[in-house]
Amino acid sequence: MKTVASHALGCKVNQYESEAIAELFQEKGYQVVDMEQAADVYIINTCTVTNFGDKKSRQLIRKVKRQNPNSIVVVAGCYAQTAPQEIMAIEGVNIVVGTKDRKQIVNLVENYQQKEPQNYVSDIMTEREFEPLSIQKLKNRTRAYLKIQDGCSQYCSYCIIPYARGPIRSRNPEDVLAEVKRLAENGFQEIVLTGIHVASYGKDLKNITLLEMIQKVHEVKGIQRIRFSSIEPNIVTENFVKTLSNLNKVCNHFHLSLQSGCDKTLQAMNRKYNTEKYRQAVKLLRQFMPDVAITTDMIVGFPGEIEKDFLASYTFAKEMQFSKIHVFPYSPKKGTPAAILPEQIENAVKSERSQKLINLSEQMAGEFLNKFLGKETEVLYERQIQPQIYEGHTSNYIKVHGKSDQNVTNKIVKTTLTETYGEIAKGIVTKL
């Protein structure tokens, strides 16, 4: 039996696609093995958000070819889409595809006879149809990621992704619901609706919105929790939040993308909101969902960000009282407008600012956790990590290590949170 290893670098969308590609090979009789093993075929789904992502992709390509010099190495994803010639020049690459035509990868591999690398990357900017990749069986038996959208038309000045993924395309609602039902039948409790810019879901279809899609998923029996990936404040209207607050399966955790708490920097980034719009979105979420966790991404050291701008950003983040900040030092990405801006910030300054925000994030995470100590909350347990200790998450995404003398894996059970260490809460299962 031929073997295949499929691996994703970067985002949850990439991870979903890699699992779907592995299943396509499985259907053709291939055995799926770990990336660390010698396989006949390696599929590397690359990330290009940062130059570091490109570097990791190149390192992995060289590593797998050393594991099996006779293997066929397929490089797909965002880095492959934006720099196919660069990928082709890496020794050991056999087939290059971008961010479309992934359903053809099995055929491309089985028909590959040439010794020279083959480039199948096409123009993603002309793509208008959502490429249907689906997952029938997932390794993780608790939480399932479900891709409902692709592409981005925001064109933030620092971001290469619109050029890597093309314009927005939404998955057919019937296809989404069919996969949700299949996942529910397979025992999944939690669904995460994901996409490159999930807030734009339905804009190209014109007969459905993200909110309406969530409402439809909510009606599927068997699914107990619904999450969705990063959104922006512009979608957070009173109607949006009020509607979601009345859907008991929707988790009260929102990853609300910020990037900067300084209006001058937001404008330079070509973000489509300002801090006041963001403030109002947070206010609405907390008004209708009092226990909500709000996490975010922030970039430090964007070109032209003087100390005064960083201080404004830091102060705004502190005001928002996030439960976690994912901090990224700005990394110039070739092909984006921000990469050629003057006033690029020194790495030492970026590092110093990053650390300040990380320290603030840790402080706010602790404060958020402490609000729930001594309280009983529902936890979906995902795995056993020690005898009688299980790891899971609350609806508002607190990671919990709960004690139980019964197996609570893939069960939502009431747990009293007793203490914290770092960003994790300890708890005791109080009701099965």
Side-chain angles (χ1 to χ4, degrees):
M1 185 183 283
K2 288 186 176 180
T3 54
V4 63
S6 180
H7 182 76
L9 293 149
C11 68
K12 301 296 185 192
V13 172
N14 265 11
Q15 291 172 34
Y16 177 91
E17 290 168 349
S18 289
E19 289 203 36
I21 290 167
E23 279 198 9
L24 292 174
F25 277 91
Q26 221 169 1
E27 287 165 13
K28 288 294 182 83
Y30 286 72
Q31 181 187 352
V32 178
V33 297
D34 192 83
M35 211 68 182
E36 303 297 320
Q37 294 177 241
D40 296 309
V41 181
Y42 292 100
I43 314 293
I44 300 171
N45 204 8
T46 58
C47 173
T48 195
V49 167
T50 64
N51 295 327
F52 184 64
D54 293 350
K55 183 181 177 183
K56 280 178 73 177
S57 299
R58 292 192 295 269
Q59 288 173 339
L60 186 56
I61 291 164
R62 295 185 180 107
K63 178 186 171 186
V64 298
K65 202 65 175 185
R66 286 196 300 269
Q67 286 174 189
N68 182 6
N70 297 318
S71 62
I72 295 176
V73 175
V74 182
V75 184
C78 295
Y79 182 26
Q81 182 68 45
T82 55
Q85 297 306 320
E86 202 173 300
I87 298 287
M88 296 267 284
I90 301 170
E91 189 177 349
V93 172
N94 300 103
I95 295 170
V96 184
V97 295
T99 52
K100 59 176 282 195
D101 300 327
R102 273 78 51 92
K103 290 199 93 168
Q104 305 305 317
I105 286 179
V106 180
N107 290 336
L108 295 178
V109 165
E110 297 197 329
N111 293 327
Y112 180 79
Q113 293 174 336
Q114 300 90 341
K115 291 187 178 177
E116 297 300 314
Q118 299 297 301
N119 179 10
Y120 295 97
V121 176
S122 57
D123 184 4
I124 196 67
M125 303 311 288
T126 62
E127 192 62 23
R128 295 294 180 270
E129 297 293 321
F130 181 91
E131 182 180 25
L133 283 170
S134 64
I135 297 176
Q136 307 295 324
K137 344 179 213 342
L138 276 150
K139 294 170 191 169
N140 183 333
R141 287 289 123 201
T142 304
R143 180 184 298 120
Y145 289 90
L146 198 164
K147 182 184 168 189
I148 65 169
Q149 184 276 338
D150 209 338
C152 181
S153 301
Q154 296 296 99
Y155 290 97
C156 299
S157 64
Y158 56 83
C159 186
I160 197 72
I161 294 306
Y163 309 96
R165 287 281 178 170
I168 57 170
R169 286 102 65 206
S170 303
R171 188 172 181 180
N172 181 293
E174 287 73 28
D175 288 349
V176 174
L177 290 174
E179 187 160 346
V180 173
K181 286 170 185 171
R182 195 160 56 239
L183 291 166
E185 288 164 6
N186 287 338
F188 287 94
Q189 303 259 7
E190 185 172 300
I191 295 283
V192 185
L193 303 176
T194 190
I196 297 299
H197 188 251
V198 78
S200 65
Y201 177 82
K203 286 186 177 178
D204 52 328
L205 300 179
K206 304 204 185 325
N207 61 352
I208 192 166
T209 63
L210 175 63
L211 182 59
E212 289 164 341
M213 190 71 253
I214 293 167
Q215 288 173 297
K216 288 178 183 293
V217 173
H218 192 272
E219 292 169 12
V220 177
K221 289 180 181 176
I223 298 300
Q224 300 301 320
R225 284 183 173 183
I226 302 167
R227 299 186 191 273
F228 40 91
S229 52
S230 177
I231 57 171
E232 290 168 0
N234 292 335
I235 197 175
V236 185
T237 63
E238 183 168 340
N239 177 60
F240 182 83
V241 182
K242 196 172 182 180
T243 303
L244 291 184
S245 69
N246 289 320
L247 302 176
N248 64 350
K249 294 180 184 179
V250 173
C251 292
N252 56 350
H253 165 229
F254 290 79
H255 191 78
L256 195 63
S257 188
L258 176 59
Q259 306 306 356
S260 175
C262 170
D263 285 331
K264 173 192 144 193
T265 307
L266 286 173
Q267 191 172 8
M269 289 176 166
N270 197 31
R271 300 294 282 179
K272 309 300 190 292
Y273 54 85
N274 58 22
T275 51
E276 185 52 35
K277 178 71 179 173
Y278 195 98
R279 185 182 282 112
Q280 291 306 313
V282 169
K283 187 178 176 182
L284 280 169
L285 288 169
R286 291 197 169 124
Q287 178 185 337
F288 289 98
M289 304 171 88
D291 288 340
V292 69
I294 300 172
T295 55
T296 200
D297 300 316
M298 292 185 74
I299 295 172
V300 297
F302 190 78
E305 183 191 68
I306 60 175
E307 191 62 28
K308 178 184 171 186
D309 301 332
F310 171 71
L311 187 60
S313 194
Y314 179 95
T315 304
F316 184 77
K318 194 172 183 179
E319 179 194 338
M320 291 303 100
Q321 286 295 297
F322 295 113
S323 60
K324 187 176 180 68
I325 306 171
H326 300 272
V327 182
F328 301 92
Y330 170 72
S331 171
K333 188 65 195 169
K334 186 181 175 184
T336 62
I340 56 172
L341 284 175
E343 300 179 80
Q344 298 284 333
I345 308 299
E346 291 179 8
N347 287 336
V349 175
K350 292 181 199 174
S351 296
E352 184 186 337
R353 291 176 183 173
S354 292
Q355 195 54 55
K356 284 179 180 176
L357 265 186
I358 289 166
N359 292 345
L360 177 64
S361 174
E362 289 173 354
Q363 178 194 324
M364 291 191 296
E367 290 167 359
F368 181 76
L369 278 182
N370 286 336
K371 289 196 294 185
F372 299 95
L373 287 184
K375 293 183 179 178
E376 190 177 64
T377 184
E378 289 189 334
V379 178
L380 171 56
Y381 286 101
E382 292 143 33
R383 63 192 182 112
Q384 185 173 7
I385 56 170
Q386 291 172 27
Q388 296 191 338
I389 304 293
Y390 296 82
E391 184 177 89
H393 287 85
T394 63
S395 171
N396 54 6
Y397 216 61
I398 295 171
K399 185 182 281 188
V400 177
H401 289 171
K403 187 173 184 179
S404 173
D405 55 7
Q406 293 184 48
N407 188 345
V408 289
T409 304
N410 202 25
K411 291 179 182 174
I412 297 175
V413 293
K414 290 191 183 296
T415 303
T416 300
L417 305 185
T418 56
E419 60 180 299
T420 66
Y421 57 103
E423 295 180 10
I424 298 171
K426 283 186 178 181
I428 297 170
V429 172
T430 47
K431 199 171 182 183
L432 289 171

